[in-house]
Structure formats: structure tokens, C-alpha cells
Amino acid sequence: MLGHEMSHAVNRDPLTMLVRRMGMAAILNAVSGGQGGAILGNVAQTMVDVQYGREAEDRADEFSVRLLARAGIAPDSFVEALERIRDSGPKVPGLMKYLDPHSPIDERISRARELSRRQDFTPRRIRVDWAALVEALPGK
């Protein structure tokens, strides 16, 4: 999941979203002459947010799978994380799924699984001094 969030930073997704929102507000202001249009503006803004959000989230999923492979970590571990999210999280009700900036979770899992199968990666052993780690835990 960290790789997924790193993608948003690398791709400047929050900044892009802000610029899109400002652009949409300017267009709506020009079209309406600065009068009213609040509901129309909110609907239009939501449509832009959802569309860009899904593109950014899908790109972040792909980034994460590729990053894991480059780091020598099984890229399908991202699939496992998405499955845990799906299995433990609340379900998106009815029409709300159209406002979710993420693609449907099963589609995300399917795309991540297919992408992870195509990754060349060499597993890297992660050396951990487990005894020292356990000793450093709070309450020890």
C-alpha cells in the first residue's frame, strides 16, 4: 500500500486534482456569468473528480505492483493486500459506487493479478534480526 501512496506523490495527483478543480470552477464561473450554478458546479466537479480519481488510483495500483517487483518483493503481495481490504472493509452501497474514486475492488484485484504475473522479479532475501526486533518491542 505504501507503493500505491508513493505513486500519488510521484505523479503529483493532489496538485493535479487541485488544478482541475480550479479550472472547472473558472469555466463554470465564465459560463454562468458568476451567477448561481452551485448545484451544476458540484455535479460537474464530482464527475471530474471521480474520473480523474479512478485514473490516478489505477495508475497507483500499477506503480505499486511494478515497484514491488523492482524491490525483489513478490508483486502479487499487492493482490493479497487488496483482497484483505475487500474482505474486511465495508461494501460500497448501491449508487455510491459511482462516486467512489477507486475502480471496483474486484477489477483492481484482477488487473493487479494479471500485471503481477507479467513481472520479472528476483526474490530478495530480507535479513532481519528477529531476536533484536522482539527485544525492541514495547513492553519488553
Side-chain angles (χ1 to χ4, degrees):
M1 288 300 121
L2 183 57
H4 174 98
E5 298 307 327
M6 285 172 55
S7 173
H8 291 309
V10 167
N11 290 301
R12 297 183 175 153
D13 291 330
L15 179 61
T16 301
M17 184 68 80
L18 177 63
V19 169
R20 284 177 182 240
R21 283 178 161 259
M22 290 172 60
M24 180 62 73
I27 290 169
L28 290 172
N29 196 29
V31 169
S32 71
Q35 301 297 316
I39 292 174
L40 175 62
N42 287 336
V43 169
Q45 192 61 59
T46 298
M47 291 170 54
V48 169
D49 288 352
V50 169
Q51 177 61 36
Y52 178 74
R54 287 191 178 168
E55 292 170 7
E57 295 300 332
D58 292 346
R59 182 175 53 245
D61 287 353
E62 183 176 333
F63 181 96
S64 186
V65 170
R66 293 181 189 283
L67 184 64
L68 287 168
R70 286 181 57 197
I73 301 169
D76 63 347
S77 60
F78 184 72
V79 173
E80 294 170 15
L82 288 175
E83 289 172 335
R84 282 191 216 119
I85 290 169
R86 178 197 60 202
D87 296 342
S88 66
K91 307 299 179 229
V92 178
L95 294 175
M96 293 303 290
K97 66 184 175 188
Y98 297 108
L99 299 177
D100 187 352
H102 296 87
S103 295
I105 190 78
D106 288 327
E107 289 178 21
R108 292 175 69 197
I109 290 168
S110 180
R111 280 194 303 269
R113 182 175 286 122
E114 180 57 34
L115 182 60
S116 69
R117 286 183 185 134
R118 295 191 316 254
Q119 298 305 301
D120 289 327
F121 87 102
T122 303
R124 182 173 59 93
R125 183 181 168 112
I126 300 173
R127 300 189 193 285
V128 177
D129 183 347
W130 292 106
L133 180 64
V134 170
E135 192 61 35
L137 292 173
K140 277 294 200 177

